[in-house]
Amino acid sequence: MGEMAQKIVKTDTKELVEMLNIAFAEEWLAYYQYWLGAQLITGPMRTSVTEEFLEHANEELKHAQWLCDRILQLGGTPVLDPENWNKTAQCKYDAPENPYVMNLLEQNLIAERCAVARYQKICEMTFGKDFETFRMAEKILKEELEHEQEIGDFKEDIIAGIKNQDKIK
Ligand SMILES: [Fe+2]
Ligand SMILES: [Fe+2]
């Protein structure tokens, strides 16, 4: 717990910690959604998509680490029980019941868009009021935007590939 860390924050710390815990739970779910998807994936380009999923999974875990560090600095407690991850998160976990690549890409694209909105919100909450949380949220936002773009690109490439195959036939 950082005494000065809390004193310099010009926003409601309790409300901020609650928001950071929502994001923290969402990051764990995003990590698992990507990681499990990478194990189960079927369909075209699965080797490259698996690599991308594992890379994203590691970044989501890194985001969870940054959020945890900041929650502790602000005197909060990170979600203690994994049972509460889905209850706390507002971007919900989507089980990869259909592991076809296009389906997994779509599920993760929805998750990324939700994450982008989450960090946009945290940036708005902290802008000019809590520089450190703002800096962290801005850094995560940048990565979530990249994730959204990469997943969208894979979707487009696979669709284009399938269309080309049809032409060859
Ligand atoms: Fe993330
Ligand atoms: Fe992400």
Side-chain angles (χ1 to χ4, degrees):
M1 185 169 92
E3 203 178 305
M4 194 59 181
Q6 288 167 51
K7 265 190 202 154
I8 58 173
V9 171
K10 291 192 200 99
T11 184
D12 187 302
T13 316
K14 195 173 161 271
E15 204 181 304
L16 180 61
V17 165
E18 264 170 38
M19 181 64 122
L20 295 178
N21 253 326
I22 293 172
F24 176 71
E26 287 168 351
E27 290 293 354
W28 274 104
L29 296 176
Y31 166 78
Y32 192 63
Q33 191 170 304
Y34 270 127
W35 182 86
L36 192 59
Q39 318 304 313
L40 302 172
I41 192 165
T42 61
M45 288 175 72
R46 74 170 162 209
T47 316
S48 332
V49 179
T50 298
E51 249 176 61
E52 192 72 36
F53 277 12
L54 291 176
E55 205 179 286
H56 286 197
N58 286 333
E59 283 173 349
E60 311 306 8
L61 198 55
K62 181 184 71 185
H63 299 162
Q65 176 73 64
W66 290 346
L67 287 157
C68 183
D69 291 345
R70 190 63 187 145
I71 290 167
L72 292 171
Q73 226 169 42
L74 291 171
T77 308
V79 179
L80 294 175
D81 192 335
E83 209 179 22
N84 291 326
W85 285 345
N86 220 16
K87 286 180 203 156
T88 309
Q90 288 171 9
C91 301
K92 292 298 179 191
Y93 176 75
D94 207 354
E97 274 154 21
N98 171 0
Y100 184 62
V101 61
M102 287 304 283
N103 190 52
L104 296 186
L105 286 169
E106 187 56 32
Q107 285 179 322
N108 287 302
L109 191 60
I110 292 167
E112 289 299 350
R113 287 179 178 155
C114 196
V116 165
R118 167 77 48 231
Y119 293 103
Q120 175 72 22
K121 214 168 177 182
I122 297 177
C123 281
E124 282 166 4
M125 254 179 106
T126 54
F127 184 68
K129 293 177 192 151
D130 173 359
F131 297 107
E132 183 55 16
T133 305
F134 178 80
R135 191 193 54 80
M136 177 202 68
E138 192 189 33
K139 231 166 50 168
I140 302 179
L141 176 62
K142 182 177 181 285
E143 295 193 354
E144 306 300 10
L145 286 166
E146 284 166 7
H147 290 174
E148 187 205 9
Q149 176 98 42
E150 285 153 358
I151 296 295
D153 288 350
F154 264 115
K155 255 185 83 181
E156 277 175 24
D157 290 352
I158 292 173
I159 291 168
I162 293 169
K163 277 187 189 154
N164 277 339
Q165 253 180 4
D166 288 346
K167 273 185 215 154
I168 294 162
K169 275 178 204 163

